[in-house]
């Protein structure tokens, strides 16, 4: 009888006790190891997946999970003043992981550091073509004056990671941020560990610790989650995505393309650039090496983006026309026999090796001499961004470009302006269109971006645009997590729930 009473009391106590969310550690397996954990490089996917909004936070963030739009992060609110400048009111009571207080001076210093010529911060490229002056009003208020006026500056600042004012201008190995996690272990070639902070200003996340592992083979990543060696792989191939209970597809904001270096013969001839595009059978990749739900690309930005132009058409597969253009160029003295090198990033996305080998073969079939070179992420950046190496041969740089922000400003200047850090050409008309579109609002902004998209595709033939990708992930059944458009470039641990 006593045992029955005790059991009844325990059951009653259990029924009345509040339901607490589970918490604990997770293991995440990624395709590429991080070569850096520098906050101002977090716009690069292999770094951003680890530290963006986990260790290093921004003033604003774009919510793509629940569709809430631009949300406060370290800035509580903002407003545009009559002169076109912007005022940001900062969150109070925030501390960095080293215990120092966050204030407006850190915001100004973080921006100045990004724009400094003493480093090679990747996030600098998003602020090209504008002059920005920052004034610290007081500890929790900062003003941004931009010339030309930027109507989407709060959205642009969703990529400015904030560091303490004491951070050196040179790249750091151990990032200090205001985020819910801090770096506790980095063993190159093995793992990176982030641990939850007790003094974080915001809501306490359920993930107490995250261990990041790195495996290039998507089949290996999928198997690790299946066997319990890992809890999450945000990137597996469509071939491996066979279990509806654990495998999820998601609209990806990445565009796969070949950046053409127009500065070197024979790629400086538009006929050769057209031939490159006509020689590739994009349709043949769908459902084979590329997910069948991927979209053939006509712009460097995906279809939901402002100003996306439905009138721009994918280059048809026409190898005979490609051969004809190459012969015409050759007859005019263009050195079409010069070997062209495709430079690709190892493990950049599933089946990257097979895709690039197939493209190489298709380009060779129309008479071009094409070599293929795979490099790791750090070396890839040397080919991808300025200053380009002197004495280089003609190059096509294979890459994925992420734009989940909904506006071409996050792509167009640094991809296509003459001063853009990853631009392979110079065209005054493109420069003018980009400048006007960046400063415009409403329908005029969308119209100008549409013009840019059409002109760089149809007239300049800037790139070999390939696919707007669809991603696949495998998630352990112990987790409650669904990937989003932002997952490939940013994986917020606070969004992961534990069942």
């Amino acid at each position: 009888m006593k045992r029955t009473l005790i059991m009844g009391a325990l059951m009653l106590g259990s029924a009345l006790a509040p339901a607490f969310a589970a918490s604990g550690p997770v293991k995440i397996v990624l395709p590429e190891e991080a070569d850096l954990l520098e906050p101002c490089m977090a716009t690069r996917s292999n770094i951003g997946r680890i530290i963006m909004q986990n260790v290093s936070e921004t003033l604003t963030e774009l919510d793509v999970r629940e569709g809430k739009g631009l949300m406060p992060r370290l800035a509580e609110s903002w407003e545009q003043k009559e002169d076109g400048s912007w005022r940001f009111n900062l969150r109070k009571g925030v501390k960095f992981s080293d215990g120092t207080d966050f204030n407006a001076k850190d915001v100004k210093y973080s921006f100045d550091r990004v724009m400094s010529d003493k480093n090679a911060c990747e996030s600098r490229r998003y602020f090209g073509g504008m002059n920005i002056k920052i004034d610290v009003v007081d500890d929790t208020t900062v003003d941004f004056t931009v010339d030309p006026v930027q109507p989407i500056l709060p959205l642009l600042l969703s990529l400015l990671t904030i560091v303490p004012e004491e951070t050196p201008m040179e790249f750091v190995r151990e990032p200090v941020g205001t985020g819910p996690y801090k770096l506790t272990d980095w063993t190159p070639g093995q793992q990176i560990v982030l641990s939850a902070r007790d003094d974080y200003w915001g809501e306490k996340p359920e993930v107490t610790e995250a261990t990041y592992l790195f495996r290039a083979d998507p089949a290996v990543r999928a198997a690790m989650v299946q066997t319990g060696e890992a809890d999450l792989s945000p990137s597996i191939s469509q071939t491996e995505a066979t279990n509806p209970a654990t495998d999820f597809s998601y609209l990806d904001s990445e565009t796969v393309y070949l950046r053409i270096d127009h500065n070197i013969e024979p790629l400086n001839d538009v006929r050769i650039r057209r031939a490159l595009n006509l020689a590739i059978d994009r349709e043949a990749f769908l459902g084979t090496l590329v997910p069948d739900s991927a979209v053939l690309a006509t712009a460097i930005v995906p279809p939901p983006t402002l100003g996306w132009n439905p009138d721009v058409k994918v280059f048809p597969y026409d190898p005979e026309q490609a051969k004809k253009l190459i012969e015409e160029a050759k007859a005019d003295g263009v050195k079409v026999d010069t070997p062209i090198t495709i430079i690709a990033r190892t493990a950049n996305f599933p089946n990257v090796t097979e895709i690039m080998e197939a493209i190489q073969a298709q380009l060779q079939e129309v008479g071009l001499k094409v070599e293929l070179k795979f490099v790791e992420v750090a070396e890839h950046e040397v080919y991808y961004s300025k200053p380009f190496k002197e004495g280089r041969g003609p190059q096509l740089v294979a890459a994925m470009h992420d734009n989940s922000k909904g506006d071409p400003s996050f792509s167009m200047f640094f991809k296509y302006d003459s001063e853009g850090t990853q631009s392979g050409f110079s065209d005054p008309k493109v420069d003018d269109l980009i400048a006007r579109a960046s400063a415009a609002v409403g329908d005029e902004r969308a119209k100008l971006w549409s013009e840019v998209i059409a002109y760089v595709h149809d007239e300049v033939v800037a790139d070999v645009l390939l696919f707007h990708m669809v991603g696949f992930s495998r998630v352990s059944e112990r987790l409650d997590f669904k990937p989003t458009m932002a997952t490939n470039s940013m994986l917020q641990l606070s969004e992961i729930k534990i069942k």
Side-chain angles (χ1 to χ4, degrees):
M1 184 175 178
K2 182 184 289 187
R3 182 176 182 275
T4 303
L5 289 171
I6 292 172
M7 289 299 293
L10 287 172
M11 291 175 68
L12 179 62
S14 175
L16 295 176
F20 291 101
S23 63
V26 299
K27 289 185 177 180
I28 300 171
V29 57
L30 301 174
E32 295 178 287
E33 187 169 359
D35 54 320
L36 296 166
L37 288 179
E38 163 58 52
C40 74
M41 297 295 285
T43 50
R44 191 198 290 171
S45 60
N46 69 316
I47 300 169
R49 277 188 296 247
I50 299 172
I51 69 170
M52 180 68 94
Q53 308 298 16
N54 293 326
V55 174
S56 300
E57 294 182 296
T58 54
L59 295 184
T60 64
E61 66 172 314
L62 182 65
D63 175 59
V64 297
R65 180 168 294 280
E66 298 179 10
K68 294 179 180 177
L70 194 62
M71 301 288 290
R73 190 80 183 207
L74 289 177
E76 288 186 319
S77 63
W78 51 88
E79 61 178 346
Q80 189 169 23
K81 300 194 292 185
E82 289 186 4
D83 63 357
S85 65
W86 289 90
R87 171 160 292 184
F88 290 81
N89 302 301
L90 308 180
R91 203 173 289 279
K92 301 178 180 68
V94 175
K95 289 186 177 294
F96 287 99
S97 56
D98 65 356
T100 57
D101 293 327
F102 159 72
N103 59 45
K105 289 182 179 178
D106 300 311
V107 174
K108 176 175 170 51
Y109 179 78
S110 297
F111 184 81
D112 291 344
R113 182 174 181 267
V114 162
M115 303 305 290
S116 171
D117 58 7
K118 295 181 180 179
N119 57 49
C121 288
E122 187 173 277
S123 50
R124 180 187 313 160
R125 65 192 190 185
Y126 296 100
F127 300 95
M130 60 187 85
N131 295 311
I132 300 181
K133 178 176 177 287
I134 302 177
D135 294 305
V136 173
V137 179
D138 56 40
D139 281 353
T140 59
T141 313
V142 60
D143 288 346
F144 285 74
T145 303
V146 190
D147 181 25
V149 171
Q150 293 295 314
I152 65 161
L153 182 70
L155 184 59
L156 288 169
L157 292 179
S158 67
L159 294 178
L160 176 66
T161 46
I162 304 302
V163 298
E165 189 182 10
E166 296 77 21
T167 306
M169 283 288 179
E170 296 76 20
F171 282 175
V172 297
R173 190 182 187 280
E174 298 182 2
V176 173
T178 59
Y181 296 87
K182 60 184 177 182
L183 175 69
T184 51
D185 178 58
W186 182 8
T187 307
Q190 296 184 36
Q191 66 178 24
I192 291 171
V193 180
L194 302 183
S195 300
R197 290 174 52 192
D198 294 329
D199 58 345
Y200 178 57
W201 62 266
E203 184 177 343
K204 190 176 182 65
E206 292 183 19
V207 173
T208 57
E209 181 181 87
T211 300
Y212 296 89
L213 308 170
F214 309 95
R215 302 290 187 274
D217 190 333
V220 172
R221 296 196 297 275
M224 288 176 69
V225 178
Q226 183 177 347
T227 60
E229 291 180 73
D231 299 295
L232 168 63
S233 176
S235 175
I236 64 173
S237 70
Q238 183 180 20
T239 305
E240 309 301 327
T242 56
N243 185 351
T246 60
D247 303 340
F248 304 93
S249 65
Y250 59 98
L251 177 63
D252 199 331
S253 56
E254 299 276 7
T255 301
V256 177
Y257 77 116
L258 303 178
R259 198 278 310 283
I260 303 175
D261 186 345
H262 299 210
N263 303 292
I264 308 295
E265 193 175 7
L267 301 178
N268 61 347
D269 192 295
V270 71
R271 291 169 294 188
I272 300 302
R273 300 198 296 273
R274 290 190 191 279
L276 292 171
N277 277 279
L278 293 165
I280 297 173
D281 187 358
R282 294 165 176 79
E283 293 277 359
F285 288 95
L286 299 181
T288 54
L289 295 174
V290 175
D292 53 14
S293 49
V295 177
L296 300 185
T298 56
I300 199 69
V301 294
T305 309
L306 179 76
W308 191 79
N309 193 329
D311 296 327
V312 178
K313 303 304 180 186
V314 176
F315 277 96
Y317 174 51
D318 192 342
E320 294 308 313
Q321 179 63 16
K323 291 176 184 177
K324 181 179 178 182
L325 289 171
I326 293 168
E327 286 302 315
E328 285 181 8
K330 183 176 183 179
D332 288 341
V334 178
K335 298 176 182 177
V336 301
D337 295 327
T338 306
I340 299 168
T341 304
I342 299 175
I343 297 161
R345 187 166 132 188
T346 305
N348 194 191
F349 50 88
N351 299 326
V352 61
T353 301
E354 294 82 358
I355 291 169
M356 291 304 142
E357 287 175 346
I359 288 175
Q360 177 190 22
Q362 290 179 349
L363 296 179
Q364 289 172 334
E365 286 171 6
V366 298
L368 295 171
K369 294 183 178 179
V370 181
E371 300 169 350
L372 180 57
K373 179 178 181 180
F374 277 92
V375 296
E376 298 301 320
V377 60
E379 186 180 354
H380 185 267
E381 190 63 27
V382 173
Y383 296 102
Y384 199 19
S385 297
K386 294 175 180 176
F388 301 139
K389 283 186 176 180
E390 293 293 332
R392 66 191 181 281
Q395 296 173 352
L396 306 174
V397 180
M400 283 206 308
H401 170 60
D402 174 73
N403 186 336
S404 60
K405 303 298 184 180
D407 192 281
S409 284
F410 291 85
S411 307
M412 292 301 183
F413 184 89
F414 75 91
K415 291 293 183 187
Y416 297 133
D417 190 271
S418 299
E419 300 300 320
T421 57
Q422 292 178 354
S423 176
F425 68 93
S426 177
D427 187 304
K429 181 175 178 177
V430 173
D431 297 349
D432 177 64
L433 282 170
I434 290 174
R436 289 193 287 132
S438 298
V441 297
D443 292 343
E444 179 66 11
R445 186 181 187 89
K447 175 178 173 293
L448 287 167
W449 283 133
S450 288
E451 287 186 40
V452 176
I453 288 170
Y455 184 69
V456 298
H457 182 275
D458 296 341
E459 304 300 327
V460 178
V461 193
D463 310 306
V464 179
L465 295 163
L466 295 170
F467 318 106
H468 300 305
M469 295 295 277
V470 172
F472 292 85
S473 67
R474 176 162 288 178
V475 183
S476 167
E477 292 189 67
R478 67 179 284 261
L479 302 184
D480 180 7
F481 175 76
K482 296 288 178 62
T484 71
M485 181 182 281
T487 296
N488 193 61
S489 58
M490 179 172 60
L491 182 59
Q492 291 201 52
L493 296 172
S494 60
E495 294 181 345
I496 299 174
K497 307 301 179 184
I498 299 175
K499 297 177 182 177

